[in-house]
Amino acid sequence: MPVPDRVSLYQHLPLETPFALHVFPIHRCNFRCRYCLHSLPAKKLLEMKFKKDVLPFPLYRKVIDDLELFSKPLKSLIFAGHGEPLLHPEIAEMVAYAKEKHFADRVEIVTNASLLTHDMADALISAGLDRLRISIQGIDQDMYKNVAGVRLDFNQFVNNIRYFFERKQHTDVYIKIIDLALKSRSEEDFFYKTFNPICDTAAVEYTIPFVNEIDLSVYSSFDHAKQGHAAHRFNICSMPFYQIVLLPSGKVTGCCAVTPPVIFGSAEKDTLSTIWNNSIRSNFLLSQINDRDRNPVCRDCSVPKYGLQPGDELDPHKEALLKKFHKGEP
């Protein structure tokens, strides 16, 4: 999905301040979407060292306070991750605190919206949420059962989104559905007919094969699904160059991989500013430029093949990047 006001990344590297902080408030989900790691057996998640942590609010508050140490505000603070953000009992308070501090230009949530009750909607609107990104898993309750493994009152679900949209103040509402959740053009038409009136933007997005343990090809029945049709593989992954990720455990990394390729540090022990500029991150960025495949997580990751945004291509600038980052500038 294109990001508003996105700039050409190379022109701004190295960054004194990350463009984005991804906050993973909780590693739990009330859905078991068949393309997601939460559909895997508990034994497999244990093998992947995936823990169902919850980010403590005092630690989150410290991280937000520490953002003052950066030279300028972040472009965005995004609540997302390998879990459902609305499951966190203090998610509205988290949004409100970030907005109160003004250390990010935009605060947004990525959610399945199944918990977007009227009370939750009122709380998020009151907190000042800037963007609500809703992931739809089907166009009726049977499809939700098939794709997400849950029984959902679809009509009430749509009404809850309508309630938010009709009462929001400045929040941009973006609603997406993945192509694997659709089976025909008529279902795609129904998606737009249902959700266009209750959002600012609706879109069909293609599924990225993000979890190596899941073969998405067996689910693709949509005649124009794009899954598996990546046009180009980038050698340098741009994500750790512009974003930083706070895990529920308080550990900090540079991307959204299920198994982080490198842990840069602990937000409990250090500030994000210190972690952003430490040698662990600097060395990791150099490894991305030199040979990303040396890291087994990076080697097997599909994001540089499917998920990078326009303007993020760094491959043509490899030699110039090596000079910049060898100087210790990041």
Side-chain angles (χ1 to χ4, degrees):
M1 180 195 68
V3 177
D5 303 321
R6 197 172 186 89
V7 299
S8 178
L9 180 61
Y10 171 72
Q11 298 175 9
H12 297 265
L13 293 179
L15 298 174
E16 293 182 358
T17 302
F19 285 160
L21 166 62
H22 287 251
V23 175
F24 291 9
I26 189 166
H27 269 177
R28 297 175 184 171
C29 192
N30 57 333
F31 281 13
R32 297 292 179 268
C33 298
R34 59 190 187 180
Y35 57 85
C36 175
L37 68 91
H38 286 285
S39 68
L40 296 173
K43 182 179 179 181
K44 176 58 68 174
L45 292 177
L46 188 62
E47 291 174 2
M48 297 166 67
K49 299 181 180 179
F50 180 79
K51 296 182 66 176
K52 295 187 177 182
D53 292 326
V54 180
L55 178 63
F57 189 82
L59 177 55
Y60 165 79
R61 187 168 53 216
K62 173 193 177 296
V63 169
I64 299 303
D65 290 344
D66 288 345
L67 292 178
E68 186 176 15
L69 299 175
F70 284 113
S71 60
K72 54 187 176 181
L74 310 171
K75 291 183 179 295
S76 60
L77 189 158
I78 304 165
F79 294 97
H82 306 300
E84 170 48 51
L86 300 191
L87 275 174
H88 196 291
E90 296 167 296
I91 187 64
E93 289 85 350
M94 287 178 160
V95 172
Y97 195 74
K99 291 298 296 179
E100 174 188 330
K101 290 295 182 176
H102 302 292
F103 296 147
D105 294 339
R106 184 176 70 251
V107 177
E108 57 185 275
I109 290 178
V110 182
T111 174
N112 63 38
S114 63
L115 303 175
L116 190 66
T117 62
H118 291 187
D119 287 344
M120 176 64 77
D122 292 339
L124 293 176
I125 293 169
S126 178
L129 183 68
D130 297 303
R131 201 159 197 243
L132 184 66
R133 291 160 55 184
I134 299 174
S135 300
I136 302 298
Q137 309 303 330
I139 58 169
D140 57 38
Q141 60 187 21
D142 291 338
M143 292 179 69
Y144 262 85
K145 180 63 177 175
N146 182 37
V147 173
V150 296
R151 295 191 180 278
L152 183 79
D153 185 332
F154 188 77
N155 290 333
Q156 184 60 54
F157 173 69
V158 172
N159 286 334
N160 284 347
I161 297 175
R162 179 179 294 108
Y163 178 93
F164 184 97
F165 185 72
E166 290 177 348
R167 287 161 179 78
K168 72 182 181 78
Q169 298 169 11
H170 70 278
T171 312
D172 177 75
V173 178
Y174 176 88
I175 297 181
K176 63 177 181 176
I177 190 169
I178 60 166
D179 49 11
L180 294 189
L182 298 170
K183 296 180 181 179
S184 66
R185 294 280 185 177
S186 62
E187 289 186 354
E188 181 181 11
D189 292 341
F190 183 86
F191 163 75
Y192 283 117
K193 180 180 179 181
T194 302
F195 292 103
N196 265 336
I198 55 174
C199 70
D200 296 289
T201 307
V204 176
E205 294 189 354
Y206 67 90
T207 314
I208 296 174
F210 195 69
V211 182
N212 294 327
E213 289 77 7
I214 298 175
D215 180 10
L216 294 179
S217 63
V218 302
Y219 300 120
S220 185
S221 58
F222 194 19
D223 59 2
H224 62 297
K226 296 180 180 178
Q227 191 277 318
H229 295 279
H232 181 71
R233 180 187 187 277
F234 294 99
N235 292 316
I236 302 173
C237 181
S238 59
M239 284 190 173
F241 288 84
Y242 68 80
Q243 70 176 26
I244 196 163
V245 178
L246 174 68
L247 303 176
S249 63
K251 294 179 180 178
V252 177
T253 186
C255 71
C256 303
V258 176
T259 302
V262 174
I263 296 297
F264 296 155
S266 167
E268 193 169 13
K269 297 178 181 178
D270 291 306
T271 67
L272 283 192
S273 177
T274 298
I275 294 170
W276 181 254
N277 292 288
N278 70 19
S279 60
I280 299 174
R281 178 175 174 271
S282 297
N283 290 334
F284 180 68
L285 296 184
L286 282 171
S287 73
Q288 286 291 314
I289 300 168
N290 281 311
D291 187 1
R292 182 175 65 87
D293 287 352
R294 287 186 180 181
N295 186 299
V297 175
C298 297
R299 182 185 62 237
D300 297 335
C301 180
S302 61
V303 169
K305 186 176 181 181
Y306 293 86
L308 298 187
Q309 297 283 350
D312 285 358
E313 184 173 4
L314 298 179
D315 290 9
H317 310 289
K318 178 177 179 178
E319 296 306 318
L321 286 170
L322 284 173
K323 291 179 181 178
K324 286 185 177 183
F325 285 90
H326 266 306
K327 293 178 181 178
E329 294 181 15

